[in-house]
């Protein structure tokens, strides 16, 4: 039961960082049997960013976080908690969040990673909201960061055209009543986890010569099954989150979906009956960046001045696990 005396939590600033190297569809045509026409018509992806061999997820996560901190006018010491949503941590431990904490000098922050694949940023916002509402923490950094190129098999045309690297961040703090996070909803269906998986490298299949030879450290995906799940769950999750704060799809001013495929985004747009101008799409530039996708899209939309004070902004995502989630925001441009 919601306690009326609880505080309201909202996103007070966002940030992002993208690696500079661009990989085009023409570049991928040299690696696998694919072509520009197939990639664009099936996915909408024109290019993606790839980090170099010396860059790890914590490096780009740190830059996205610094960008958000500077927009918020906060110091690293003001942050109470850092969550990094990622499926490509620097290593199993220490957590990428602890490495980011060190890089930022956020000495007062607790830090942990969270793994909900492409839904990770929404899971992170959901966790952050609880800490802010109760007054337990004041400023929380939620980062979605991925270097998916490190676990992408560039001999597998089914997956290598889809993924890219990037990082996005949001700072969640207390905001005035009526603004910020109106509702947030997360879900999971573990029984279908095998549809999207990095099989080896954990305790089930520790790294061995065999797992390397079998290319088991790379992403494996049943694309068409994930596609069917995605087109169903995107609309459902958004509608569920809207209903829990007394809104309907007619109230949406801006939809920021997980950027996996333009066909999935179009289907969600159609189901929610909102016009395409109200939907932010950048999958053409970056491909699918898993936990970073929604965070980067939100930062871009905000930076471009597309989100006005009072707009109802819906974030919605789905991903491996399987997982999904949606967050409804009453947007306000703080410090602009
Ligand atoms: O963030 C969450 C993670 N993932 C996703 O959201 C991905 C969800 N799935 C998808 O976006 C789509 O399923 C894909 C883009 C991965 C594939 O599109 P599709 O329309 O579902 O194609 P398909 O898997 O049914 O494959 C159709 C054909 C196959 O050939 P055959 O068996 O019909 O001869 C594939 O081998 O397209 C072939 N194909 C390719 N052809 C050229 C698969 N990848 C490629 C490629 N270039 N890169």
């Amino acid at each position: 039961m919601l306690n009326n005396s609880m505080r309201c939590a909202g996103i007070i600033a966002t940030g992002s960082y993208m690696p500079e190297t661009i990989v085009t569809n023409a570049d991928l045509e040299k690696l696998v049997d694919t072509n520009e026409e197939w990639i664009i018509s099936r996915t909408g992806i024109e290019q993606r960013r790839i980090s170099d061999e010396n860059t790890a997820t914590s490096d780009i996560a740190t830059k996205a976080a610094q960008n958000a901190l500077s927009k918020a006018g906060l110091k690293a010491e003001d942050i109470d908690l850092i969550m990094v949503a990622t499926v490509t941590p620097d290593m199993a431990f220490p957590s990428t969040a602890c490495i980011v904490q060190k890089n930022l000098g956020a000495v007062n922050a607790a830090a942990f990673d969270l793994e909900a694949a492409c839904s990770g940023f929404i899971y992170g916002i959901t966790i952050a909201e609880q800490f802010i509402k109760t007054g337990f923490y004041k400023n929380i950094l939620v980062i979605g960061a991925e270097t998916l190129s490190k676990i992408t098999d560039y001999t597998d045309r089914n997956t290598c055209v889809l993924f890219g690297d990037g990082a996005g961040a949001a700072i969640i703090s207390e905001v005035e009543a009526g603004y910020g996070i109106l509702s947030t909803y997360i879900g999971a269906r573990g029984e279908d986890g095998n549809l999207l998986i990095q099989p080896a490298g954990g305790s089930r299949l520790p790294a061995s010569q065999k797992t390397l030879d079998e290319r088991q450290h790379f992403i494996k995906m049943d694309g068409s099954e994930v596609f069917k799940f995605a087109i169903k769950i995107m609309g459902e999750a958004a509608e569920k989150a809207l209903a829990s704060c007394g809104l309907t799809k007619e109230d949406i001013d801006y939809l920021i979906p997980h950027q996996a495929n333009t066909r999935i985004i179009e289907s969600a747009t159609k189901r929610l009956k909102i016009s395409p101008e109200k939907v932010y799409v950048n999958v053409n530039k970056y491909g699918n960046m898993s936990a970073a996708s929604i965070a980067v899209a939100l930062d871009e939309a905000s930076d471009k001045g597309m989100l006005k004070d009072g707009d109802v902004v819906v974030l919605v995502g789905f991903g491996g696990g399987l997982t999904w989630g949606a967050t409804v925001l009453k947007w306000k441009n703080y410090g602009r």
Side-chain angles (χ1 to χ4, degrees):
M1 194 65 190
L2 191 73
N3 178 343
N4 285 336
S5 67
M6 280 194 180
R7 297 159 173 82
C8 294
I11 295 176
I12 62 153
T14 58
S16 63
Y17 177 80
M18 308 302 297
E20 278 168 25
T21 303
I22 291 173
V23 173
T24 63
N25 293 339
D27 295 328
L28 292 171
E29 282 177 21
K30 293 177 200 142
L31 299 178
V32 288
D33 179 16
T34 191
N35 58 77
E36 169 96 356
E37 197 277 325
W38 190 97
I39 301 173
I40 302 238
S41 65
R42 300 293 181 113
T43 72
I45 301 168
E46 292 159 26
Q47 58 181 52
R48 62 292 284 147
R49 300 293 179 96
I50 300 292
S51 49
D52 65 37
E53 60 180 19
N54 298 317
T55 302
T57 297
S58 65
D59 299 318
I60 60 174
T62 300
K63 287 181 174 152
Q66 285 165 335
N67 185 220
L69 281 168
S70 100
K71 287 191 218 166
L74 290 178
K75 297 192 293 295
E77 295 84 350
D78 298 327
I79 298 297
D80 303 306
L81 173 65
I82 299 171
M83 279 180 266
V84 176
T86 187
V87 296
T88 48
D90 288 22
M91 54 196 94
F93 61 89
S95 70
T96 302
C98 280
I99 300 169
V100 170
Q101 187 232 24
K102 175 194 70 174
N103 293 348
L104 293 174
V107 290
N108 298 314
F112 66 89
D113 288 358
L114 85 92
E115 207 281 74
C118 311
S119 316
F121 184 65
I122 292 184
Y123 269 63
I125 289 176
T126 306
I127 297 166
E129 188 203 14
Q130 313 313 312
F131 282 121
I132 299 294
K133 270 197 324 200
T134 56
F136 194 84
Y137 284 138
K138 281 198 162 55
N139 299 306
I140 299 179
L141 193 47
V142 180
I143 305 170
E146 302 285 8
T147 48
L148 290 173
S149 63
K150 314 271 181 173
I151 60 164
T152 295
D153 184 350
Y154 288 98
T155 67
D156 175 13
R157 71 174 183 174
N158 291 298
T159 54
C160 76
V161 300
L162 303 174
F163 301 111
D165 301 346
I171 296 172
I172 321 286
S173 305
E174 186 180 354
V175 298
E176 65 265 49
Y179 284 94
I181 300 163
L182 300 184
S183 73
T184 185
Y185 156 66
I186 50 178
R189 195 166 75 222
E191 68 185 51
D192 288 329
N194 277 342
L195 296 179
L196 185 45
I197 184 169
Q198 182 192 16
S203 59
R204 178 69 59 197
L205 273 182
S208 67
Q209 192 55 53
K210 185 166 180 284
T211 60
L212 285 175
D213 292 344
E214 291 173 349
R215 308 184 77 75
Q216 300 264 42
H217 296 268
F218 293 119
I219 301 169
K220 315 278 179 201
M221 180 172 69
D222 182 337
S224 57
E225 284 304 312
V226 176
F227 188 91
K228 282 184 228 158
F229 155 71
I231 55 176
K232 192 163 172 286
I233 205 71
M234 292 271 271
E236 274 179 28
E239 286 183 285
K240 201 154 181 175
L242 283 160
S244 73
C245 59
L247 298 178
T248 68
K249 53 196 181 187
E250 283 75 34
D251 296 307
I252 300 176
D253 293 303
Y254 230 92
L255 181 75
I256 304 197
H258 172 47
Q259 308 283 317
N261 182 319
T262 44
R263 287 189 293 148
I264 295 172
I265 295 173
E266 278 158 17
S267 134
T269 308
K270 223 166 157 184
R271 180 182 169 129
L272 294 166
K273 295 198 176 77
I274 54 176
S275 75
E277 301 83 64
K278 291 182 172 179
V279 183
Y280 194 77
V281 179
N282 63 8
V283 66
N284 55 314
K285 290 193 294 182
Y286 304 131
N288 180 348
M289 300 181 290
S290 190
S293 278
I294 296 173
V296 170
L298 178 64
D299 182 53
E300 282 194 356
S302 156
D303 266 4
K304 288 179 181 169
M306 296 166 125
L307 311 179
K308 310 282 179 242
D309 288 356
D311 275 358
V312 172
V313 178
V314 176
L315 315 179
V316 60
F318 64 92
L322 299 172
T323 57
W324 59 87
T327 297
V328 182
L329 303 164
K330 183 81 137 184
W331 190 259
K332 185 155 183 191
N333 293 292
Y334 293 94
R336 276 168 200 283

